[in-house]
């Protein structure tokens, strides 16, 4: 990877400094890495090739993450709660290799460059710093769901990358630390490390802001029926969006109430109380979009079709279906329902001309290692 | 009018007590009026028939009114700013008559009963208390725009009623007091008394919460091009909506910033700065709808078509048209533009299949007396 000039290089060094503040014990090694990146010279430490493959699911938040108290470390403004999405996953193989003189990233067999590669490389920097590695890596990732199908892929991607990168280095970190490290790559990736229903803690310290499971996948048979209304790429990506949250006069009030909403949502899940769940999930989604559309400049992620589906979902629930909606930073509508009502919801969505496609996912497990090559 | 039992009667007495606290000087007369209403007996004070007709325009708010600090007196949570809509009006004739033993209200030649009549009667109570009248009134009102065409009719209606009722009693009140009294009938009616561009002050006292003109109609040739997307009646009326504002966690922050937004909007109008106007008008509208949709239960006044038009308006502005949107408690979109761009906006809206009808209105004057019969 050529990082030789301008702001890209400055950003990279800034990020290294941030990770350095977290992983201070590896300062010396980190310094080496920093020099290596700046000068683009091959590191000659004698290490052999190591490889591992991990799999992680995307997740859908019931209580949302929007806005950071620290953008560089992706320390969120408020706690959040999600469910992992079974059947959908990213599978990522990391190979730390002496012979590489830059990081390589392929996504669905396509060699990636530019910002996609840079973001992966920055996360590898964090792993190098934490694990004491002074090698570049080859990262191969596959998603079994299309990009732009209404499912944020970065959570699954960075959770799998974190676990694979760690395992490939022959290091076993506990779930808590894996979650915190995954967070550095993409905030919501913290929630794709633990299994089932997951709570992510907000905190001022890297180590304190991790996610943990509050209930396993089989605790409650919920289904996310995703109404895809737009395949187009978001005009404003999440990372930039998180920065915009603080420009809304309403973000403070949203954040102030988050812990209470999370407690209500958590209780609703633990008690399998769909009525309470539906109310808090829709309310929290509305709050996030209220912040988005009152940011400066305003962000309207939802589209006319999204609004129509939201209205239909409220109507279907009034008619007896156990379904509620939630929207991420995109136009597609996640219809969370109990499994018994998932077919009815899927069919009802299919009858709407505005819906391009419907996908369903049950409650998924945590990130797992699926292949681990011993050092050669 | 029979007010003989139950909560209707209690409400009426409660309202009388409220108006009594405002218009204390007329206590004795008010007492008489109260007895009269409760016992439904004819008052026998010797007064002759008096009649006047007034005309008032509806208005569209650039900085919104949503939520009250005092619901009974409609003292708003925050100040607001609007423009009167020329060409659209309510024309109301009030006749105070000895021979009536109840208030009568006809709207567009239809005899009204129930809540419509009660609301007019409550406002007549306020006028009776203030003016020292112990008679019932016949109220005939005509709107030259259809109800449910995206234009709130209550502002024009209560402004015209206040002015006509006062003039019919042979009393001349100053604009400031007329505005405050009109406010008792419908909050935004306070803004339909003064002319042109109007600011309504928020305050804790009845006398202090009135509207006044900040610029006459000919100050700036703006046009409200109204995209009608729904003729259906609002699911939740404004009076109830104002009560719901305080159930949103976001209302506090919205209110806290209102004075600043008003100052920016006022300045933009005084300097005829459309760029600044557009930004604050859309932002303020988004803030109000953010509060609405995060109230409990949530209120979604906009519809898919509204969202589409909002998006189009932002796009047209980016392309050079001087137009911005604002939405009241309804689905129709008010496209505020400079007169030179009004035709282009009207045509562009006309090309959207989602738009049922387009109406335009320039900047209107204040409420005026158009006929005044001398006492017979």
């Amino acid at each position: 990877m050529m990082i030789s000039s301008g702001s890209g290089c400055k950003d990279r060094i800034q990020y290294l400094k941030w990770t350095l503040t977290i992983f201070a014990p590896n300062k010396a090694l980190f310094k080496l890495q920093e020099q290596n990146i700046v000068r683009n010279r091959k590191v000659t430490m004698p290490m052999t090739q190591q490889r591992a493959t991990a799999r992680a699911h995307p997740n859908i938040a019931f209580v949302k993450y929007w806005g950071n108290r620290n953008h560089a470390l992706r320390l969120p403004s408020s706690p959040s709660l999600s469910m992992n999405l079974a059947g959908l996953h990213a599978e990522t193989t990391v190979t730390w290799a002496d012979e590489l003189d830059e990081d390589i990233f392929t996504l669905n067999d396509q060699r990636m460059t530019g910002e996609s590669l840079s973001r992966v490389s920055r996360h590898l920097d964090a792993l190098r710093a934490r694990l004491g590695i002074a090698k570049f890596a080859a990262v191969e990732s596959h998603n079994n769901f299309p990009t732009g199908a209404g499912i944020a892929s970065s959570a699954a991607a960075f959770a799998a990358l974190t676990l694979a990168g760690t395992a490939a280095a022959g290091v076993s970190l506990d779930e808590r630390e894996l979650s915190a490290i995954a967070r550095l790559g993409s905030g919501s990736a913290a929630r794709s490390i633990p299994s089932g229903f997951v709570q992510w803690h907000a905190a001022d310290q890297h180590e304190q802001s991790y996610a943990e499971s509050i209930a396993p996948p089989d605790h409650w048979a919920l289904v996310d029926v995703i109404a895809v209304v737009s395949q187009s790429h978001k005009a404003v990506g999440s990372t930039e969006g998180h920065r915009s949250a603080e420009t809304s006069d309403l973000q403070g009030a949203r954040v102030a109430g988050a812990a209470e909403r999370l407690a209500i949502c958590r209780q609703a899940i633990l008690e399998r109380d769909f009525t309470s769940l539906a109310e808090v999930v829709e309310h929290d989604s509305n709050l996030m979009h209220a912040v988005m559309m009152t940011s400066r400049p305003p962000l309207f992620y939802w589209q006319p079709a999204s609004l129509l589906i939201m209205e239909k979902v409220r109507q279907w629930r009034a008619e007896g279906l156990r379904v509620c909606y939630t929207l991420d930073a995109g136009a597609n509508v996640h219809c969370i329902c109990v499994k018994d009502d998932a077919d009815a919801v899927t069919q009802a969505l299919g009858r709407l001309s505005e819906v391009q496609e419907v996908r369903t996912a049950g409650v998924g497990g945590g990130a797992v290692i699926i292949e681990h090559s011993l050092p050669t």
Side-chain angles (χ1 to χ4, degrees), chain A:
Chain A
M1 176 178 46
M2 294 296 294
I3 297 188
S4 52
S5 68
S7 65
C9 184
K10 266 197 210 157
D11 285 355
R12 185 75 180 275
I13 297 299
Q14 182 56 46
Y15 190 76
L16 286 169
K17 282 181 182 156
W18 273 111
T19 48
L20 189 62
T21 63
I22 305 172
F23 305 118
N26 301 301
K27 229 171 199 170
L29 212 144
F30 199 72
K31 193 73 191 164
L32 180 69
Q33 177 62 15
E34 182 178 351
Q35 288 166 3
N36 174 56
I37 288 162
V38 174
R39 300 186 194 157
N40 195 28
R41 289 192 316 209
K42 190 174 171 182
V43 178
T44 52
M45 273 181 70
M47 283 180 74
T48 51
Q49 179 175 309
Q50 293 174 290
R51 173 182 302 179
T53 302
R55 180 185 285 171
H57 301 292
N59 65 72
I60 178 70
F62 293 170
V63 174
K64 301 294 190 187
Y65 157 50
W66 193 245
N68 290 319
R69 60 183 71 186
N70 180 320
H71 292 297
L73 298 184
R74 300 184 200 267
L75 293 170
S77 301
S78 56
S80 56
L81 198 156
S82 61
M83 114 178 183
N84 285 335
L85 299 178
L88 311 172
H89 60 249
E91 232 175 70
T92 301
T93 302
V94 173
T95 309
W96 299 109
D98 287 332
E99 59 272 28
L100 291 171
D101 58 6
E102 60 179 351
D103 293 322
I104 297 167
F105 173 37
T106 62
L107 176 60
N108 299 327
D109 303 317
Q110 283 230 313
R111 180 78 177 259
M112 306 301 283
T113 56
E115 178 50 26
S116 294
L117 172 61
S118 296
R119 191 166 171 191
V120 164
S121 251
R122 283 196 298 272
H123 196 60
L124 292 170
D125 287 346
L127 290 173
R128 282 185 273 256
R130 171 61 184 85
L131 303 172
I133 299 176
K135 302 187 192 188
F136 290 104
V139 175
E140 292 174 69
S141 194
H142 291 87
N143 294 332
N144 74 342
F145 55 96
T147 308
I151 305 141
S153 56
S154 66
F158 283 94
L161 176 60
T162 302
L163 184 56
T166 312
V171 177
S172 176
L173 301 180
D174 62 19
E175 184 182 277
R176 178 174 165 164
E177 186 171 6
L178 284 169
S179 172
I181 296 174
R183 191 202 74 232
L184 295 169
S186 170
S188 53
R191 296 189 310 238
S192 283
I193 294 285
S195 179
F197 299 92
V198 172
Q199 174 175 357
W200 172 19
H201 304 284
D204 289 328
Q205 301 297 320
H206 166 71
E207 295 78 9
Q208 306 304 316
S209 186
Y210 61 92
E212 61 186 332
S213 180
I214 62 164
D218 63 0
H219 168 72
W220 194 10
L222 292 184
V223 177
D224 181 6
V225 181
I226 307 162
V228 178
V229 300
S230 170
Q231 312 265 355
S232 70
H233 223 71
K234 302 180 228 184
V236 176
S238 296
T239 299
E240 198 184 329
H242 285 293
R243 286 183 184 273
S244 89
E246 59 213 55
T247 69
S248 167
D249 292 342
L250 309 183
Q251 170 73 347
R254 191 193 75 83
V255 167
E260 189 188 340
R261 290 192 299 281
L262 189 138
I264 292 167
C265 185
R266 183 186 163 114
Q267 191 73 3
I269 289 168
L270 295 179
E271 295 176 355
R272 302 182 190 87
D273 174 353
F274 194 82
T275 303
S276 296
L277 182 78
E279 192 181 327
V280 73
V281 166
E282 290 190 356
H283 184 55
D284 193 84
S285 176
N286 292 345
L287 281 166
M288 181 174 76
H289 286 267
V291 167
M292 290 165 164
M293 72 189 201
T294 57
S295 294
R296 304 172 204 212
L299 296 175
F300 279 87
Y301 283 107
W302 51 31
Q303 292 179 5
S306 322
L307 212 59
L308 173 80
I309 297 166
M310 290 159 65
E311 197 181 314
K312 290 285 181 192
V313 165
R314 285 190 296 264
Q315 186 187 316
W316 296 335
R317 188 163 73 255
E319 291 166 4
L321 284 183
R322 284 156 297 173
V323 59
C324 64
Y325 67 75
T326 187
L327 284 86
D328 279 344
N332 301 313
V333 183
H334 294 255
C335 303
I336 309 297
C337 54
V338 299
K339 195 177 178 186
D340 287 350
D341 289 344
D343 282 349
V345 169
T346 304
Q347 284 160 25
L349 286 170
R351 282 191 290 269
L352 300 176
S353 62
E354 291 82 357
V355 175
Q356 296 172 5
E357 195 187 340
V358 180
R359 299 181 159 263
T360 62
V363 189
V368 289
I369 297 162
I370 56 172
E371 218 183 307
H372 198 172
S373 301
L374 293 176
T376 51

